[in-house]
């Protein structure tokens, strides 16, 4: 298991050095209310061990994270009477990751809440999907 990163805010929260509103905890995982909620109940769920990105986190720890996400999301959404929720995991600064400790946002959603309204869907030019697919296959090593 990687050691706690001294300059990581989420490691400090896990270590109890920075206070948080704790939503859920088990030996592998901690969930706490986001300090800047985009909706009531907005929570971040983290592995206690420090990994920066999803693809760097060992499968056994990821399994613990994923196992906790559903029940925690269910409790949060029930508590705030939200009929829906998003799970978001930003990986890399270009994707919006500010805190470099792997985390999953649980964002309760309600009708017409105005969140995440943009989804700029496009279409592949002819042949481009096949090209991209071939490149992905060349990089896949699982
Ligand atoms: P990111 O943009 O990295 O995916 O999201 C990081 C999240 O962590 C943000 O939503 C931000 O509000 C939250 N956050 C940053 N620092 C703290 C903190 O000290 N305490 C809590 N509870 N949340 C934090
Ligand atoms: Zn950390």
């Amino acid at each position: 298991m990687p050691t706690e990163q001294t300059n990581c805010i989420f490691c400090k929260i896990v270590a109890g050095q920075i206070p948080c509103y704790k939503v859920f905890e088990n030996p592998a995982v901690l969930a706490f209310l986001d300090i800047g909620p985009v909706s009531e109940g907005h929570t971040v769920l983290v592995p206690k061990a420090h990994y920066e990105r999803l693809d760097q986190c060992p499968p056994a720890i990821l399994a613990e994270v994923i196992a906790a996400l559903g029940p925690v999301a269910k409790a949060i959404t029930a508590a705030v009477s939200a009929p829906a929720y998003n799970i978001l995991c930003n990986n890399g600064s270009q994707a919006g990751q500010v805190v470099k400790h792997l985390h999953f946002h649980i964002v309760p959603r309600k009708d017409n809440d105005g969140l995440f309204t943009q989804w700029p869907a496009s279409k592949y030019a002819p042949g481009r999907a096949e090209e991209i697919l071939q490149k992905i296959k060349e990089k896949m090593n699982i």
Side-chain angles (χ1 to χ4, degrees):
M1 184 177 289
T3 49
E4 168 190 332
Q5 304 287 297
T6 47
N7 59 352
C8 172
I9 198 132
F10 286 176
C11 281
K12 290 194 168 103
I13 289 174
V14 167
Q17 293 161 0
I18 292 179
C20 71
Y21 290 104
K22 204 175 283 186
V23 170
F24 172 78
E25 183 175 26
N26 72 18
V29 165
L30 178 67
F32 49 92
L33 293 182
D34 195 295
I35 204 169
V38 298
S39 67
E40 277 194 332
H42 177 182
T43 292
V44 285
L45 188 147
V46 307
K48 287 185 172 177
H50 181 97
Y51 300 97
E52 185 169 333
R53 293 185 182 219
L54 182 68
D55 55 276
Q56 295 165 347
C57 186
I61 293 181
L62 261 189
E64 301 264 15
V65 168
I66 299 296
L69 268 175
V72 172
K74 190 174 177 186
I76 293 167
T77 50
V80 299
S81 302
Y85 60 92
N86 290 108
I87 302 292
L88 302 175
C89 180
N90 301 327
N91 289 268
S93 51
Q94 296 82 355
Q97 185 178 16
V98 174
V99 178
K100 306 297 185 192
H101 180 133
L102 175 64
H103 55 279
F104 291 77
H105 295 260
I106 302 169
V107 181
R109 299 296 308 274
K110 294 184 177 173
D111 285 334
N112 306 311
D113 60 14
L115 298 177
F116 316 134
T117 51
Q118 291 212 330
W119 188 262
S122 61
K123 283 198 163 92
Y124 284 112
R128 187 62 179 153
E130 290 82 353
E131 283 175 15
I132 299 283
L133 198 56
Q134 182 57 35
K135 288 180 201 252
I136 294 170
K137 285 178 177 170
E138 287 165 16
K139 297 290 183 191
M140 193 76 69
N141 51 15
I142 51 171

